[in-house]
Amino acid sequence: MMRGWAAAALALAAMLLPQPVLAWGAYGHRTIAEIALDNVTPQTRARIAALIADNAALGTPDCPVHSLSDASVWPDCIRHDRTRWAYTFPWHYQTEPVCSPYDVKAHCANGNCVSAQIERDIYILKNRKLPRAQRLRALVFLTHFVGDIHQPLHSGDDNDAGGNRVKADYGIVPGLNLHWVWDGPLAERAISSASPALVHRFSPAERAKLDGGTVADWGRESWELAKRFVYPEDTGKDPCTGGKATHAKLTDKQIEAALPVIRKRIEQAGLRLARVLDESLG
């Protein structure tokens, strides 16, 4: 029986091993895109479809984009082609030390960070004088990066690559890292266990509570969550007073505590993406 439990744990660990091409996990990013599509205007939805109809212009047949959901994972999919796309890799995050004041400008050299790229993509998408292929590329990057900036460990950092260098056990599954736990299994559990389902048409009152703020505000929220929730809750140490954490052991209680936090970030990302798309394309 013990050998059986060990085999099951190893099999589960293999399924949950970090996948370097994903952030929030494909499930998280696709859910954000689907929330957005359910909450944009019909006019915006039609203009999204018109841009995506030119998907061949992306020149990435191995990473097809036939929907906004596909667009949400395209910037991770292209990571396998480093020769063409390595310069885009720093755009997915913004390293903001959790024990220093948040400064959206100080940690974004030459625009190579997620907040600056979101602003750039919005500018390009709004400009209908630009080539459609350029605007399509802005659409797919924007769809993904709005998701990324809402992941706490894509902003908050304790000199550990946003939790990538903190070993983590997810329940009985060892051998992961804290960043991947938040990107993958925690996000998947939060989405799949949500009731009602996260993907739906939100009421105006619900949207008013969730879709506000600037891009800098979104990053600051993630940084605050990393500082005040993720690191102390999952490692048992305050990152600024409790010493350096190298290992996180997430119990069932800690996992359950994280689920509503993730659900709110996914909802915020989806509705804020919907607002930005309406403003840019509507």
Side-chain angles (χ1 to χ4, degrees):
M1 183 176 291
M2 288 301 294
R3 285 196 296 270
W5 274 106
L10 288 172
L12 181 57
M15 289 189 290
L16 297 179
L17 283 175
Q19 302 296 315
V21 297
L22 300 177
W24 260 141
Y27 193 19
H29 276 296
R30 288 185 184 275
T31 300
I32 290 166
E34 290 162 9
I35 291 172
L37 201 61
D38 269 10
N39 287 276
V40 295
T41 67
Q43 182 183 52
T44 298
R45 193 176 300 115
R47 288 177 173 166
I48 290 169
L51 283 172
I52 289 175
D54 292 335
N55 63 82
L58 293 169
T60 55
D62 292 339
C63 298
V65 174
H66 300 300
S67 65
L68 197 66
S69 178
D70 289 344
S72 74
V73 296
W74 181 85
D76 278 339
C77 181
I78 61 173
R79 287 190 180 196
H80 73 274
D81 189 352
R82 296 185 62 87
T83 303
R84 287 181 66 191
W85 301 106
Y87 72 95
T88 70
F89 295 176
W91 297 354
H92 292 251
Y93 57 89
Q94 187 158 351
T95 302
E96 295 283 346
V98 292
C99 297
S100 300
Y102 180 85
D103 188 336
V104 73
K105 301 293 185 183
H107 304 100
C108 187
N110 302 313
N112 286 306
C113 73
V114 68
S115 65
Q117 290 303 313
I118 290 173
E119 299 280 13
R120 176 177 179 270
D121 292 330
I122 291 171
Y123 171 81
I124 292 171
L125 196 57
K126 284 181 176 180
N127 190 342
R128 298 182 189 181
K129 295 180 181 179
L130 293 175
R132 288 174 63 85
Q134 189 172 356
R135 294 178 68 230
L136 170 61
R137 201 163 128 184
L139 172 66
V140 295
F141 274 123
L142 176 65
T143 302
H144 182 87
F145 292 154
V146 170
D148 277 348
I149 201 172
H150 283 80
Q151 207 276 49
L153 293 173
H154 276 248
S155 290
D157 174 74
D158 190 25
N159 196 30
D160 55 13
N164 274 291
R165 292 198 290 267
V166 178
K167 294 179 181 179
D169 301 339
Y170 180 73
I172 64 169
V173 182
L176 307 178
N177 69 65
L178 185 59
H179 188 107
W180 170 246
V181 165
W182 274 76
D183 272 354
L186 267 180
E188 290 169 11
R189 181 165 172 179
I191 296 165
S192 62
S193 63
S195 181
L198 298 187
V199 179
H200 64 275
R201 181 80 177 179
F202 286 72
S203 71
E206 290 173 319
R207 292 188 65 162
K209 292 179 180 179
L210 295 167
D211 74 356
T214 65
V215 176
D217 293 332
W218 307 344
R220 184 180 292 104
E221 290 168 356
S222 287
W223 172 83
E224 284 277 0
L225 281 171
K227 177 178 182 177
R228 304 194 185 283
F229 183 85
V230 179
Y231 283 112
E233 177 72 17
D234 294 348
T235 69
K237 293 184 177 182
D238 184 304
C240 303
T241 62
K244 187 72 176 174
T246 59
H247 201 160
K249 295 185 178 182
L250 278 77
T251 64
D252 287 343
K253 182 179 179 181
Q254 289 168 307
I255 291 168
E256 289 294 330
L259 301 184
V261 175
I262 293 176
R263 289 184 192 121
K264 183 176 181 180
R265 292 309 276 167
I266 296 286
E267 290 175 333
Q268 287 175 317
L271 293 175
R272 287 164 173 174
L273 177 59
R275 174 167 63 83
V276 166
L277 291 174
D278 277 339
E279 291 170 354
S280 302
L281 295 172

